[in-house]
Amino acid sequence: MYNPTVARLTYRAVLGRRRAAILLILPALLLLIAGAVRGFNGADDQIAADVLGGFAIATMVPLIGVIAGTGSIGPEIDDGSIVYLLAKPVKRPTIIFTKLIVAIAVTMAFSAIPTLIAGFILNGNGQQIAVAYTVAALVASIAYSAMFLLLGTVSRHAVVIGLVYALVWESLFGSLVEGARMLSVQQWALALAERIGGEGMIGSDVGLPAAVILLAAVTVAATWYAGQKLRVLKLAGDE
């Protein structure tokens, strides 16, 4: 199910010069904010939770997921170079699974690690806040990567749709419409963080059992459907 050659090509595409620069901006900004907040306010558990929840989980993780998830396959479909990969004797579900692994690895590296570091900068992991939000970033990275990889497979406007979901649905509707929070990867991830962090420091509108089921279901369903869409994608010579 994992092809090293496909993985190498995907890493090269996702971590190209332009995308790598974009991927580095948000983690660098988080660390800059964490350092400034610690310098001005000292170690404060609630402020640490607010910064990590409001910027790292609500903004940084989904945006990095958009870049890594859509970038792992979208450009290849857009420019037609995917036909060369599909012409190789590699099963199409294997291509999708390999690209998903790459997208997850990149998203985790550029979101979970900076979240952990920022948490220690902010309050030294008091109330387990740094670890809790890092776990949330890790599990959210998996779901976001699968979702945005699927978008990259089915739409030429995957980046725009992904940004709308991340910035409008997750951030705007998620904060204004209570029912929308049940369909939010952010809230599902926060359910795990809530269990790890100190009491009252982190909140989620979704119970832990439901969050785990929804995270797993979305990841599996998105990966399976992306594989199906790629399976029926016709090569130029097939038409």
Side-chain angles (χ1 to χ4, degrees):
M1 290 297 291
Y2 180 84
N3 187 286
T5 302
V6 174
R8 185 172 63 255
L9 294 172
T10 305
Y11 275 117
R12 187 180 302 171
V14 175
L15 298 176
R17 185 174 301 175
R18 189 190 313 177
R19 284 195 178 85
I22 297 174
L23 286 169
L24 285 169
I25 290 174
L26 289 171
L29 183 57
L30 172 63
L31 296 178
L32 181 63
I33 292 172
V37 170
R38 178 62 184 265
F40 285 114
N41 296 284
D44 186 290
D45 295 340
Q46 188 58 59
I47 291 179
D50 291 342
V51 171
L52 295 180
F55 184 80
I57 301 301
T59 302
M60 184 181 72
V61 180
L63 289 181
I64 291 177
V66 169
I67 297 169
T70 61
S72 63
I73 195 170
E76 291 177 292
I77 294 178
D78 291 342
D79 63 20
S81 62
I82 190 70
V83 298
Y84 301 104
L85 181 58
L86 297 180
K88 303 296 182 181
V90 181
K91 294 181 179 179
R92 300 188 184 189
T94 297
I95 294 174
I96 288 295
F97 183 77
T98 301
K99 288 181 175 293
L100 174 64
I101 295 300
V102 172
I104 290 172
V106 171
T107 306
M108 285 182 173
F110 283 90
S111 62
I113 295 174
T115 298
L116 181 63
I117 296 172
F120 274 94
I121 292 173
L122 285 164
N123 75 332
N125 194 38
Q127 300 285 331
Q128 291 291 306
I129 289 173
V131 171
Y133 278 108
T134 299
V135 171
L138 289 171
V139 296
S141 295
I142 298 173
Y144 282 132
S145 295
M147 289 170 52
F148 298 135
L149 174 63
L150 172 60
L151 278 177
T153 306
V154 302
S155 174
R156 291 181 177 273
H157 307 290
V159 174
V160 175
I161 298 172
L163 290 174
V164 168
Y165 175 84
L167 299 178
V168 178
W169 181 266
E170 291 266 358
S171 299
L172 182 59
F173 280 93
S175 62
L176 298 178
V177 183
E178 184 175 350
R181 298 170 193 162
M182 289 295 296
L183 301 176
S184 167
V185 174
Q186 175 187 332
Q187 291 297 321
W188 304 341
L190 287 175
L192 278 80
E194 183 180 21
R195 180 61 61 92
I196 298 170
E199 185 175 356
M201 301 304 303
I202 305 171
S204 173
D205 294 313
V206 182
L208 182 58
V212 172
I213 292 172
L214 288 168
L215 283 166
V218 166
T219 301
V220 172
T223 304
W224 175 83
Y225 191 59
Q228 296 303 305
K229 294 298 293 184
L230 194 63
R231 188 192 298 273
V232 300
L233 184 67
K234 290 184 178 295
L235 300 176
D238 294 337
E239 296 178 351

